Amino acid sequence: MPFQAFQARDGWVYVAVWIDRLWRPFCEAIEQPALAADARYATRADRLARRAELGAVLDKIFATRTVADWMARLEARDVLCAPVNRYADLPHDAQVQASGMLVEQDHPRAGRFRTLDTPIRFSRTPGTIRTPAPALGEHTEAVLAEAGFTPDEIAGLRKAGTI
């Protein structure tokens, strides 16, 4: 604790103070040395036991600055943190660009568009997007048939309005 997202003035920032040695640098980054010295929050177990109380204090603190400001302050003290991106922000994110996570795809109804690639990246079997997302129910019959349903059973499900 804290190991969560906090709302800043202009968005959200995720903070991971997952070990005790990060507590003091975290408190320095948020300009709250009294929290670092407070025996109620001395250890991770102490902070977890007072999660609601401490969370309310931190919520008020994080609301005072922008995400960029918090990121700069936290990163300067090696506190694990990340901005919480909105989908619209992703094309502009340096890590998304550097990792090649944006790909173009053709869709039979939506046309050509940019989307996020799969994050699964194995060296010998890299994940890729091979087909567009299916329309609702597009593969229902094939999935049911693969699961062992007969054509008559599938027809019955369709007639009953189940599929």
Side-chain angles (χ1 to χ4, degrees):
M1 170 67 184
F3 200 98
Q4 65 196 75
F6 291 99
Q7 188 166 13
R9 244 193 288 163
D10 61 346
W12 292 79
V13 60
Y14 199 92
V15 176
V17 180
W18 60 285
I19 54 177
D20 286 337
R21 73 172 172 78
L22 291 175
W23 179 240
R24 184 165 301 282
F26 171 77
C27 291
E28 291 168 358
I30 66 170
E31 298 178 338
Q32 297 295 317
L35 284 178
D38 192 325
R40 295 175 300 165
Y41 309 126
T43 68
R44 180 178 172 272
D46 295 332
R47 294 187 296 276
L48 284 171
R50 293 173 177 81
R51 175 185 289 254
E53 169 189 319
L54 181 56
V57 170
L58 296 176
D59 283 339
K60 290 177 185 171
I61 294 166
F62 274 87
T64 64
R65 298 182 185 272
T66 66
V67 171
D69 192 17
W70 286 124
M71 290 297 299
R73 291 169 172 275
L74 294 162
E75 287 177 337
R77 288 170 178 81
D78 290 326
V79 176
L80 298 173
C81 59
V84 178
N85 288 323
R86 295 170 302 187
Y87 191 82
D89 297 333
L90 292 175
H92 312 291
D93 183 90
Q95 183 63 34
V96 170
Q97 292 173 352
S99 62
M101 287 297 297
L102 287 175
V103 296
E104 290 201 6
Q105 182 181 32
D106 290 313
H107 192 278
R109 290 171 297 286
R112 189 158 185 81
F113 64 96
R114 283 190 330 164
T115 189
L116 289 174
D117 201 356
T118 179
I120 299 167
R121 306 285 176 134
F122 298 117
S123 58
R124 286 182 277 183
T125 56
T128 60
I129 296 177
R130 294 184 302 268
T131 61
L136 181 63
E138 183 177 342
H139 299 131
T140 300
E141 289 187 21
V143 169
L144 291 172
E146 188 174 322
F149 286 80
T150 67
D152 288 341
E153 289 171 321
I154 294 171
L157 290 170
R158 187 163 305 286
K159 185 175 181 181
T162 305
I163 59 169

